[in-house]
Amino acid sequence: MTPRLPGAACALIPIDDGDTHDPWAGVAFLRAHVGRFGARVMAIVAGAAPDDAIGDEALRAGADDVWLVAHGVVALPVSTDVLVDVLARAIVQPGVVPGSHEGGLFLLPAGAVGEEVAARLAARLDGVPLGRCLAVEPGPQGLTVRRAAFGGRVHASLAAVAGPWFGVVRRPEISAPAGVREAPSVQRMQIEVAPAQGGFVRHSAVERREAPLAGARVVVAGGRGMGGEPGFARLRELAQCLDAAVGGSLPTVDAGWMPVTHQIGQSGKYVTPELYLAVGISGTPQHMAGLGPQVRVAAINKDAGAAIFRNAEIGLVGDWREALPALIERLQSIATNGRKA
Amino acid sequence: MNVLVLLAGVVDPKWPLAVAGGVEVRAVSPDGGLRLGPFDESALEIALKLRDRHPDTRVDVLVCGGPEHDALARQAAAFRPTRLCRLDLSPAQRWSARRVAAALITVIDAPGAAPDLVLIGREFGDSDDGMLPPFLAEAWGWRFVGMVQSVARDEDLLVLRRERGDVDEAIHLPAPVLASVTNDRSNRLRHPLMKNLAAAKQAMIEVLPVRAMEEGEASLALVGAELAPAAASSRGHCRLLSAGSAADLDAFAQYLAAWTQRS
């Protein structure tokens, strides 16, 4: 049966948001899941002043039609109130979304900002919040969405008959080729933002101890088994040998050993390093949901039966208290010999 | 100030799951396996801290779910909320954010006890991955602050704190506010007093009925479920080494060192 395609397939991009590490994920997702049916993929890019280079980037990412929406608000971190206001007004502007937005599928990049903006747009525009979509399948009567539930242990299929639909996505594992696109377009609009009513925000810059997880080639993460701050101090020494970023599982944040900005897992950051070294982490599905599918995993755990080893390509069974100092010494020796050679 | 804490519960991860009829997800446990989730606990602790500091703070608790959630409600009762309710939402209804928002608005708008602050976990139960709280706020016309780690009062303003990238934000807002709460060292749920635990077993839970959904009313309906597939084949087949062996430690170190040498 012929699927009924959404009226519009549109990626919404908060281009100035520093916490959105893959702004074009929605474009790639739509190209893979909807573009294959011949639908055009739109991108609405909202920022203080998105320029031509951003427009070109959107086209290279796979968008057919791009709207650059300038709102002029330069303060960072970007306000989600501003993003919701600007994107809602852009979506309903005549001539932006072909036909009407009411049958449209709108996707933002996964992350705290994307999830909030998508949900609030759904409420504001009488739409349906889809959640974090693993797959979207147009059908004869609307969409079927697949997403994780029960802490990542279940994949649920959800039917959404009437749009508009708003969700968040990560870049799909397999990208669809952009192919030859007819008449790609880049257009611009300006939307003025009204000053915020009531309340204010104070920011205090904090010197973060941890290097950012996003973009790290190697991530070293500690779990409950690290036992406390001294364990993480050792972990940081190891991470330094590997030029790695440091993260932690949910229990380590609860315990105050790691900041919530470095929590990895279903309810934390999603990381895609080349190598992920898990130390004292049992390997629950909730934690593993924070790793990209192509990530190579190594693990250190004193329990040979720990689930983490079923997800790893190499593992060291033993107590980190002995293993980490031994590894640090060896890595420093390798580095020194390498410099002498 | 009136604070309303919304609790959903999650299936304790220690219990395996099974899918019945291709749709219904159940914990393989003797009693349903529900417990307060980490974000439920954080939301409750923030409310309790506000009450500690400001004795004029009223804390109401609303558990969203069917009779299987009564045990959860009794856990919350041990912290002596002023009002303890259960909103009788079915599992099917909990998938539809619109349905949840419509059912909750009757509580939010109740005369005499309308909340100034609603606290809800950043993920609300097993069927939500973070979009329900901001949807609720926007649907009600409330201010929303997500990923909150602590809340304080500053005269007639609420001060909601969170980490965001390279900054700590202190957001000062007038009520009403809906805040989704994330886990933090400062909001780990305390242990209840033993005497309150005992009293909680007899606690009265006020059940608020919810109209059954009409056919086609759900904006999002669960039509299938399956246990998540095992990890990708690129993982697994683990080469296991022993930290007690010098040769194995050498091999592991060489494996790690190879990553620092790649360009």
Side-chain angles (χ1 to χ4, degrees):
Chain A
M1 204 177 282
T2 310
R4 189 186 70 175
L5 297 177
C10 183
L12 305 176
I13 296 111
I15 198 68
D16 297 334
D17 177 46
D19 283 342
T20 297
H21 300 297
D22 187 0
W24 309 112
V27 174
F29 188 97
L30 286 169
R31 178 112 338 256
H33 288 267
V34 181
R36 63 193 166 99
F37 293 108
R40 287 180 78 83
V41 174
M42 275 189 68
I44 300 180
V45 184
D51 57 16
D52 289 341
I54 297 289
D56 289 342
E57 217 177 315
L59 293 176
R60 277 197 302 275
D64 297 298
D65 304 298
V66 180
W67 278 93
L68 301 175
V69 181
H71 55 63
V73 178
V74 298
L76 292 176
V78 67
S79 156
T80 45
D81 289 340
V82 166
L83 285 171
V84 172
D85 182 36
V86 166
L87 287 168
R89 286 158 67 187
I91 285 168
V92 303
Q93 186 106 306
V96 171
V97 176
S100 154
H101 72 280
E102 287 171 5
L105 171 62
F106 300 91
L107 300 177
L108 281 101
V113 167
E115 283 153 18
E116 179 186 334
V117 171
R120 289 176 62 183
L121 286 171
R124 192 172 289 202
L125 298 177
D126 200 25
V128 179
L130 300 177
R132 198 183 305 144
C133 308
L134 299 172
V136 172
E137 193 74 27
Q141 294 181 352
L143 299 180
T144 301
V145 169
R146 194 158 55 89
R147 73 176 206 224
F150 290 84
R153 296 197 283 162
V154 166
H155 284 180
S157 292
L158 300 154
V161 174
W165 305 285
F166 296 85
V168 296
V169 292
R170 297 193 176 110
R171 183 175 292 270
E173 286 174 45
I174 300 167
S175 303
V180 176
R181 286 170 281 152
E182 285 184 31
S185 69
V186 179
Q187 299 179 76
R188 293 170 172 278
M189 77 169 85
Q190 200 134 350
I191 290 183
E192 285 219 16
V193 176
Q197 299 287 320
F200 57 93
V201 182
R202 272 208 197 105
H203 287 126
S204 38
V206 176
E207 196 174 313
R208 298 272 179 232
R209 188 200 299 193
E210 316 295 346
L213 291 169
R217 210 167 56 78
V218 179
V219 170
V220 174
R224 198 198 304 264
M226 301 311 295
E229 304 254 13
F232 272 87
R234 271 297 189 189
L235 208 64
R236 287 187 189 93
E237 280 184 58
L238 178 65
Q240 211 164 4
C241 296
L242 301 172
D243 195 22
V246 179
S249 63
L250 186 150
T252 65
V253 172
D254 277 356
W257 307 336
M258 285 298 290
V260 70
T261 48
H262 281 70
Q263 177 175 315
I264 296 168
Q266 172 81 12
S267 308
K269 292 281 195 294
Y270 180 79
V271 295
T272 54
E274 291 175 30
L275 174 69
Y276 186 82
L277 173 58
V279 185
I281 290 177
S282 62
T284 63
Q286 291 87 337
H287 182 73
M288 301 310 295
L291 273 61
Q294 306 301 327
V295 173
R296 311 273 282 274
V297 178
I300 302 173
N301 199 296
K302 62 183 183 184
D303 177 6
I308 191 70
F309 291 127
R310 289 195 286 280
N311 288 282
E313 65 178 26
I314 188 169
L316 189 65
V317 180
D319 193 315
W320 65 263
R321 289 171 189 82
E322 282 122 36
L324 290 198
L327 287 172
I328 291 166
E329 187 185 327
R330 281 163 169 79
L331 287 168
Q332 287 171 343
S333 171
I334 292 169
T336 304
N337 292 337
R339 281 195 289 275
K340 285 180 185 169
Chain B
M1 182 175 73
N2 295 339
V3 179
L4 175 64
V5 183
L6 302 178
L7 301 177
V10 292
V11 172
D12 193 325
K14 75 181 186 192
W15 297 114
L17 297 174
V19 179
V23 175
E24 192 182 343
V25 182
R26 287 187 198 141
V28 182
S29 86
D31 59 358
L34 283 174
R35 49 158 281 191
L36 288 177
F39 308 126
D40 289 329
E41 291 184 344
S42 297
L44 188 52
E45 177 61 27
I46 287 180
L48 298 174
K49 281 195 155 64
L50 281 167
R51 190 173 68 183
D52 290 343
R53 287 191 213 113
H54 307 277
D56 63 335
T57 303
R58 172 188 168 125
V59 174
D60 291 343
V61 167
L62 178 66
V63 176
C64 295
E68 71 280 2
H69 283 70
D70 279 348
L72 272 186
R74 295 228 156 71
Q75 285 179 40
F79 298 101
R80 297 171 56 88
T82 304
R83 187 183 180 203
L84 176 65
C85 303
R86 176 169 62 75
L87 189 66
D88 202 16
L89 279 167
S90 69
Q93 290 173 325
R94 289 202 293 272
W95 288 100
S96 171
R98 274 207 209 148
R99 196 75 195 89
V100 175
L104 280 169
I105 196 69
T106 56
V107 179
I108 303 303
D109 280 351
D116 303 293
L117 172 66
V118 172
L119 296 169
I120 179 173
R122 59 179 276 203
E123 290 174 6
F124 195 59
D126 284 317
S127 52
D128 173 55
D129 52 13
M131 285 180 69
L132 180 65
F135 182 91
L136 292 179
E138 192 74 27
W140 299 338
W142 281 40
R143 290 182 181 85
F144 174 76
V145 183
M147 304 284 286
V148 168
Q149 291 161 271
S150 69
V151 180
R153 281 166 67 176
D154 180 11
E155 294 181 354
D156 54 353
L157 292 180
L158 293 163
V159 185
L160 305 105
R161 295 184 191 277
R162 63 183 181 185
E163 295 167 24
R164 196 163 166 207
D166 291 333
V167 298
D168 282 349
E169 283 190 326
I171 303 161
H172 299 243
L173 292 172
V177 172
L178 186 150
S180 77
V181 175
T182 192
N183 54 308
D184 183 65
R185 174 192 225 168
S186 70
N187 60 38
R188 294 181 71 181
L189 184 63
R190 64 193 67 179
H191 292 295
L193 297 175
M194 289 302 298
K195 62 174 184 173
N196 292 339
L197 265 176
K201 290 179 184 166
Q202 313 298 327
M204 259 277 298
I205 305 169
E206 188 185 341
V207 178
L208 307 176
V210 175
R211 173 182 62 80
M213 279 194 299
E214 288 163 16
E215 181 144 349
E217 186 184 354
S219 54
L220 202 62
L222 182 68
V223 295
E226 59 181 15
L227 297 179
S233 58
S234 59
R235 297 203 199 116
H237 309 293
C238 181
R239 179 183 165 205
L240 265 189
L241 304 171
S242 167
S245 155
D248 282 2
L249 281 166
D250 287 341
F252 198 83
Q254 289 289 350
Y255 172 92
L256 294 178
W259 287 93
T260 66
Q261 290 150 9
R262 293 180 193 210
S263 60

